[in-house]
Amino acid sequence: MFDLFREISQTIKNNRSRTILTGLAVAWGIFMLIVLLGAARGVVNNFNDFSSDSSVNYINIWSGYTSLPYKGYRDGRRIRMKDSDMDEIKGEVKAATDASISATASGFNINGPKDYISGGFNAVYPGAQRSERLKMKEGRFINTRDLEELRRSIVLHTDNAELLFGSSEKALGNQVRAMGLSWKVVGIYSHRWRKDSYVPYATYKSITGGDGKVDEMNIKIGGITTEEEALATEKEIREVLARRHEFDPADENAVWIWNQFANYLSQGQAIVYLNLAVWVIGILTLLTGIVGVSNIMFVSVRERVHEIGIRRAIGAKPRSIIMQILTESVVITTLFGYIGIVSGMALLQVLSKVLTDELGFSNPTVDITIALEVTVALIAAGALAGLFPALKATKVKPVEALHDE
Amino acid sequence: MIGHLNEETVISLRDINKTYPGAVPLHVLKDISLDIRKGELVSIMGASGSGKSTLLNILGILDNYDSGTYMLDGTAIRDLSENRAAELRNRMIGFVFQSFNLISYKNALENVALPLFYQGIGRKKRNRLAMEQLERMGLADRAHHLPGELSGGQKQRVAIARAIVTNPSLILADEPTGALDSITSGEVMGVFRELNESGMTIVIVTHDPGVGASTNRIIRIADGRIEGSSDTPDFKKEQ
Ligand SMILES: Nc1ncnc2c1ncn2[C@@H]1O[C@H](COP(=O)(O)OP(=O)(O)OP(=O)(O)O)[C@@H](O)[C@H]1O
Ligand SMILES: [Mg+2]
């Protein structure tokens, strides 16, 4: 085996510039493939992060204004959902496994020992943590007991906790004042852009004696796998609300619906296509490489007909000629392919520092199993590339080859 | 021709015919019958196109023939597989060509060692055996030179070293002096005679009457037929 490699390194040296040119083409192809795979992986990772930290199986609904006249009502009418809509939807829409509501209370300040924040808070159900994608840093989110016992609990954004108390550690377990009452800080969360404060919906309703009007409703969806089903569920929800609030079910503006789940499913589809595209490109790259290496091996065999004739005359069996050409092809492909893999991975390392989550990439790298798979593919490609030239080499007749100078 | 039955026969041809196919098929060898005994130094002479190289290629299992029988060292050479032919060539025959046929990017030592590579012999032993043959050819100091850096005579001696490195029963040489001047030719023939004296059987195809005269038998071939075979008393005198 060692002898074989010695033979090969000699013949490669003998055809240095052609080998290097083709080799670089292979290296470039593999390099591009690795970078593409890495970039696609980055997009997929980003998508997965997004969907795992949030659970995407939600449909969010906001109150809106009608845009179509209906049953004697004029258009432009304000529609305000009520908390009772939630139970109705849960009861009627099969795919709705859970729901939460959110009412925005505004026009007052939240006061802490150090400072105050203006605006108000959102009165919510525990489900808001998941649907709003809030990462708890300390404490907990609003829970069912808060609602049942009408506790005056409040969850703050970490920036606001710092503002009100000087530091978020001092905030947890302490009191803030809002609407003339004191509220206990039970949790502190972080989020890229949300800053709202959250209190239990039931507590808020009991304080204000409210009319049950809510601004936002989040429906959790279950038992659904296709985009069509997700869209059908959205339609069912709209129909329930249309009936209860007397608007045209075709009116898209009476309530605004953000069907995250349908988006997720269609994005998932896009990711499948993205992966597919990368593999198609990859396979085409590899095929181009095979054709390139195969070509140089053909040229090499043709140029070495005389040499092959000499080898045959002094006792080389067809098998050893085949082995030599095949190994040569595999060595060229694997060597330069490897250069491509390594430089591609190096570039991805740099890119993973530059391309961040905000740009739609998370950790755009290729793991070692993919590198190994590519290596195996390279060896197979090299063997395939060398196969036909090798078979051609065995067709060389020693008598004729020896004449040929 | 079929005398000397007491002596061991290396090559035995009976009624060998060979036709090159083509638009006009060419009947090159016609009923060739021939015996060459162990330890002979034979030359084959004849006009250009008379079929000498064709005959030598058949003897060397580089080409096949259409009818007749060929026994090489007791083995029938007929319808051999490529593998078997390669093996026999490697173990029983050493080739020397007019144009040397050395591999240009391998140095003298590597060229000489190559037949041993195909016998699966390890590198160290290969190089030792190859070096021994180069020394025998007086080329030890040229072992690491490429063919391009050697003179014609030196190249041919490297080729001879390669031919004998496997210790074959037969050396076949096609115009081995054809590309050399007369002095160098004389040197190369000297090498062949020495090898023959050490017991090797050698068949040389040549145009050169001088070369023919320095072998111990001349086989004359004309238009694909053996015209005659004669011992060369001159050779004995030269001794
Ligand atoms: N592969 C081939 N196909 C067809 N015809 C061939 C082939 N090889 C040789 N011949 C023809 O066969 C005849 C004998 O050729 P061969 O090479 O044996 O002659 P030769 O005696 O060696 O001649 P020279 O002294 O010129 O080398 C020639 O007429 C040649 O043209
Ligand atoms: Mg000839």
Side-chain angles (χ1 to χ4, degrees), chain B residues 170-183:
Chain B
L170 180 64
I171 303 281
L172 298 176
D174 195 348
E175 310 271 14
T177 61
L180 305 175
D181 62 45
S182 56
I183 294 175

Side-chain angles (χ1 to χ4, degrees), chain A residues 33 277-290:
Chain A
L33 174 62
V278 168
W279 279 109
V280 167
I281 292 169
I283 286 164
L284 288 180
T285 313
L286 214 54
L287 279 180
T288 325
I290 289 177

